[in-house]
Amino acid sequence: MSDRRLPRLLQSPAVVLLLVWMLIPLGMTLYFSFIRYVLNNLRRPEWTTPSLSNWRGLGNYEFVWGNKDFLLAIQNSLLIVCSILFLTVILGILIAVLINKAFAGRGIVRVLLISPFFVMPAVNAVLWINMILDPVLGLQGLAVAGINELIDGLRTMPLLGGFFNLWPELTPISFRATQTSAYAVIIMVTWQWTPFAVLIFMTSLQSEDQQQKEAAILDGAGAWNQFRFLTLPHLARPIAIVVMIQAIFHLSLYAEIEIVSRGNGNKNLPYLIGEFANNNIGAASATGIYAVILANIVAIFLLRMIGKTLME
Amino acid sequence: MAIVAQSSKTGRVSRATLAWIIALLFFFPIFWMVLTSFKTDADAVKPEFLIWFTPTLENYVNMTENYDYWRFATNSVITSVFATLFALAVGIPCAYAMAFNPSRSTKDVLMWMLSTKMLPAAAVLYPMTFLTKSLGLFDTHFIIIVVLMLINLPIVVWMLFTYFKEIPKEIIEAGQMDGVSTWGEIREILIPLAWGGIASTALLCFIFCWNEAYWTVRLTTTDAATLSKLIEGNRAPEGLFFGRLSAVSAAAVGPIVVLGWFCQKQLVQGLTFGAVK
């Protein structure tokens, strides 16, 4: 008997650790979200220590819900997550189908393509916002300046000059403004996560039924119809998984937002929690619970899908 | 038939060309970072030195002086290595039990473990800061190791479980017949058999630890600060330090990108929890 119980016991360290990791901080967040708790308040010093006598019920949740930054953060979170999902899935499918067939140097192409995924998020953000997207010193700024100079030169041409005179002077886009910094985040995260989508779709395409495909070719199905009626249905499941995994990751996007748009109004939920946590812990906790709920909506679907394949 | 073959040949060539162009475009930012790292700070922002410039190693030589790179890199190595080792130490027995002595609850336990991974970290930001500060663990290697281990433990258990499941049960049971202890089974039979799977799990866990950028930024200031924190702290060089910032960034991501090339396959399994094969 004991030799069957011992192996089961071996699970317990991992289970206990994860249980503690999940329950204690989350329990505290839940508790703080129902009380008044601020780090600094000279008029009401009793609020600076967490205690049940400062019970606020759903007050923090109402306060956060009514806060205009909260709506903004939700909107921004959704804009960022949805844009990234859309772009990575489309690009991922196109690239995966493109490199699915053998060609010269496919191994190297794969290695080049996957590389962005391993770049640490902080480096990704610093690299893009400074060296590539900066309107003056980045490649964007240099490219725009170069094109303007070129057009300027062409204006002096004898005949075509008049045509080039009609061209407007290009102005570089600043990616540090409130709205455009969200685009910068979308660009850099799409760059980083498209390789992930490609990798997953490519893995899945390897298991596509080749006989079915050959039969379709014999029946005279064109490339588009093959893609539309065979490949795309085959990819349905991997697409769903890529969407859900990315949704969970990107809802808690932090380093990129922090680096690109610190203090310029472009916030997402994790960033807003960080801001609240500088003083108003009750509000930070309530926002945290909202974030948990949002992530759970996605997670439930994902877990169901994974659970189905688990014991196969 | 000849026409079909010919057109498909030009099709093949143009496909290959397009694939190469896309791959090079995706790699370009990394290439650009590495290229810039060989320019002086002054040259890095001058259009005339965009591609033709006198390469210099100055930025790499001065990395210690400019950024104290090695201190942060050492912290990254220490925290990532120990977090990975501890995750394996806890994860291997757990996955062993789940794969070879499954109970009715095994599936639920696995799913529950995954669900902990889906909690947004920011939700527990303040409690974690509060706890680590009041326990005197803020900005210590210990807390970073513990947190990195815990956030990666579900993936580690999950990946090991899928590898262990491939091993025929009979081999393990034969060991039991011979009277080998449970610990002996793990050490003498399981680990040698699943060595490849354990190694790729460790590699992937190490990469995730190295790149982690929430807790390593929020729970450290100086002593235990990792490379993520270093880069985050130098986020806005305003063009003055493109050269040196590129060098330190390239040094921070270079080893990991190379490691990543070796575990593409495992990445799919590790990140989709075995749901895409």
Side-chain angles (χ1 to χ4, degrees):
Chain A
M1 274 320 282
S2 63
D3 54 288
R4 288 207 59 75
R5 216 173 292 143
L6 178 65
R8 294 267 173 79
L9 269 180
L10 291 173
Q11 290 183 34
S12 41
V15 172
V16 169
L17 279 172
L18 282 173
L19 204 63
V20 169
W21 164 239
M22 199 171 84
L23 287 185
I24 292 181
L26 200 62
M28 285 171 77
T29 297
L30 205 59
Y31 169 51
F32 293 155
S33 76
F34 288 116
I35 59 172
R36 280 185 198 277
Y37 182 17
V38 290
L39 294 181
N40 286 302
N41 193 327
L42 291 177
R43 283 200 356 253
R44 307 293 298 266
E46 70 272 20
W47 288 353
T48 55
T49 38
S51 137
L52 273 178
S53 56
N54 295 332
W55 189 259
R56 204 186 175 188
L58 291 172
N60 285 320
Y61 290 89
E62 280 162 19
F63 167 76
V64 170
W65 189 262
N67 190 309
K68 72 172 187 348
D69 277 354
F70 179 70
L71 258 182
L72 216 91
I74 293 258
Q75 269 176 7
N76 217 14
S77 287
L78 291 179
L79 168 76
I80 291 173
V81 172
C82 293
S83 313
I84 296 168
L85 286 178
F86 179 76
L87 290 169
T88 50
V89 167
I90 301 282
L91 285 172
I93 293 176
L94 292 179
I95 297 173
V97 169
L98 182 71
I99 63 176
N100 192 34
K101 283 188 189 144
F103 59 87
R106 192 171 120 195
I108 302 171
V109 162
R110 273 184 65 147
V111 162
L112 293 178
L113 266 176
I114 192 67
S115 301
F117 191 72
F118 298 108
V119 172
M120 61 169 69
V123 168
N124 177 11
V126 167
L127 168 69
W128 275 87
I129 198 66
N130 290 312
M131 275 167 265
I132 298 178
L133 295 177
D134 191 275
V136 182
L137 300 165
L139 281 177
Q140 191 222 164
L142 297 181
V144 169
I147 293 170
N148 280 338
E149 212 166 291
L150 186 75
I151 293 174
D152 245 12
L154 292 172
R155 287 196 172 118
T156 57
M157 268 172 54
L159 270 172
L160 289 166
F163 168 69
F164 285 108
N165 267 330
L166 299 174
W167 283 36
E169 184 101 347
L170 295 174
T171 43
I173 306 159
S174 165
F175 282 95
R176 290 188 190 270
T178 304
Q179 192 53 49
T180 49
S181 59
Y183 300 144
V185 171
I186 291 168
I187 294 172
M188 58 186 67
V189 179
T190 302
W191 173 70
Q192 176 144 55
W193 280 79
T194 300
F196 168 74
V198 171
L199 202 63
I200 304 266
F201 295 150
M202 226 164 50
T203 310
S204 167
L205 284 177
Q206 308 276 301
S207 66
E208 200 180 357
D209 188 349
Q210 287 308 316
Q211 281 184 337
Q212 209 180 22
K213 221 163 189 182
E214 277 159 28
I217 295 171
L218 282 180
D219 286 346
W224 168 251
N225 280 333
Q226 282 175 49
F227 174 76
R228 170 73 187 76
F229 294 107
L230 293 177
T231 307
L232 217 49
H234 179 75
L235 285 179
R237 192 184 149 78
I239 289 173
I241 285 168
V242 165
V243 165
M244 288 184 286
I245 288 174
Q246 284 202 77
I248 287 164
F249 267 83
H250 302 331
L251 278 174
S252 39
L253 212 60
Y254 179 75
E256 289 88 344
I257 302 272
E258 161 87 16
I259 289 170
V260 172
S261 40
R262 169 169 257 203
N264 79 353
N266 173 38
K267 298 164 188 170
N268 66 352
L269 277 184
Y271 191 86
L272 185 69
I273 293 171
E275 267 188 1
F276 278 138
N278 288 330
N279 192 27
N280 192 343
I281 304 304
S285 304
T287 316
I289 298 298
Y290 280 128
V292 170
I293 294 169
L294 198 60
N296 265 309
I297 295 172
V298 185
I300 288 168
F301 287 106
L302 179 59
L303 284 172
R304 255 201 208 145
M305 213 158 189
I306 295 170
K308 264 184 203 156
T309 47
L310 179 59
M311 289 301 173
E312 281 164 13
Chain B
M1 279 311 275
I3 300 165
V4 174
Q6 219 172 25
S7 75
S8 77
K9 195 184 172 188
T10 48
R12 264 216 311 275
V13 171
S14 51
R15 273 174 85 113
T17 320
L18 189 61
W20 270 97
I21 291 172
I22 292 174
L24 291 173
L25 275 178
F26 266 88
F27 193 73
F28 177 77
I30 297 175
F31 165 77
W32 191 249
M33 176 177 74
V34 175
L35 194 76
T36 311
S37 73
F38 292 111
K39 298 176 184 176
T40 62
D41 286 333
D43 284 1
V45 292
K46 288 185 190 146
E48 62 267 33
F49 295 125
L50 207 57
I51 298 159
W52 304 114
F53 61 96
T54 330
T56 169
L57 282 173
E58 181 189 310
N59 296 317
Y60 287 97
V61 175
N62 296 337
M63 224 158 45
T64 317
E65 205 182 300
N66 293 339
Y67 291 111
D68 207 356
Y69 171 80
W70 291 107
R71 193 164 61 83
F72 292 94
T74 313
N75 284 341
S76 274
V77 172
I78 291 174
T79 51
S80 304
V81 166
F82 280 102
T84 306
L85 287 179
F86 288 141
L88 287 178
V90 179
I92 291 178
C94 177
Y96 160 84
M98 287 172 158
F100 299 112
N101 287 298
S103 65
R104 261 169 297 142
S105 64
T106 298
K107 185 181 167 179
D108 298 326
V109 174
L110 269 170
M111 298 310 289
W112 167 76
M113 282 186 170
L114 269 195
S115 71
T116 65
K117 182 85 193 127
M118 293 167 189
L119 280 178
V124 291
L125 168 66
Y126 184 73
M128 281 303 289
T129 325
F130 177 83
L131 283 172
T132 49
K133 280 193 173 150
S134 51
L135 293 172
L137 293 171
F138 190 79
D139 198 20
T140 57
H141 291 95
F142 176 78
I143 191 67
I144 297 299
I145 291 171
V146 169
V147 168
L148 287 179
M149 175 200 135
L150 288 170
I151 54 180
N152 285 304
L153 191 57
I155 292 186
V156 167
V157 170
W158 194 276
M159 278 183 77
L160 289 173
F161 172 76
T162 51
Y163 283 118
F164 290 175
K165 235 177 24 168
E166 307 284 303
I167 297 173
K169 251 188 165 168
E170 293 73 31
I171 298 180
I172 301 291
E173 273 161 12
Q176 276 168 359
M177 296 286 193
D178 293 345
V180 182
S181 68
T182 306
W183 174 234
E185 260 173 54
I186 296 181
R187 208 181 41 195
E188 321 248 316
I189 305 172
L190 181 70
I191 293 183
L193 274 177
W195 184 240
I198 294 171
S200 26
T201 308
L203 209 59
L204 202 62
C205 180
F206 180 81
I207 293 176
F208 290 149
C209 291
W210 186 277
N211 286 350
E212 207 281 332
Y214 190 77
W215 295 118
T216 49
V217 169
R218 306 292 318 220
L219 294 184
T220 62
T221 46
T222 47
D223 292 350
T226 63
L227 287 168
S228 281
K229 179 82 175 179
L230 168 69
I231 305 289
E232 193 263 351
N234 290 285
R235 64 176 89 76
E238 308 296 343
L240 291 171
F241 305 122
F242 278 11
R244 57 175 78 172
L245 189 62
S246 297
V248 76
S249 304
V253 303
I256 290 302
V257 171
V258 175
L259 271 186
W261 291 342
F262 293 108
C263 56
Q264 294 177 36
K265 285 249 166 63
Q266 289 71 34
L267 182 74
V268 176
Q269 210 192 4
L271 272 172
T272 64
F273 314 109
V276 171
K277 282 177 189 135

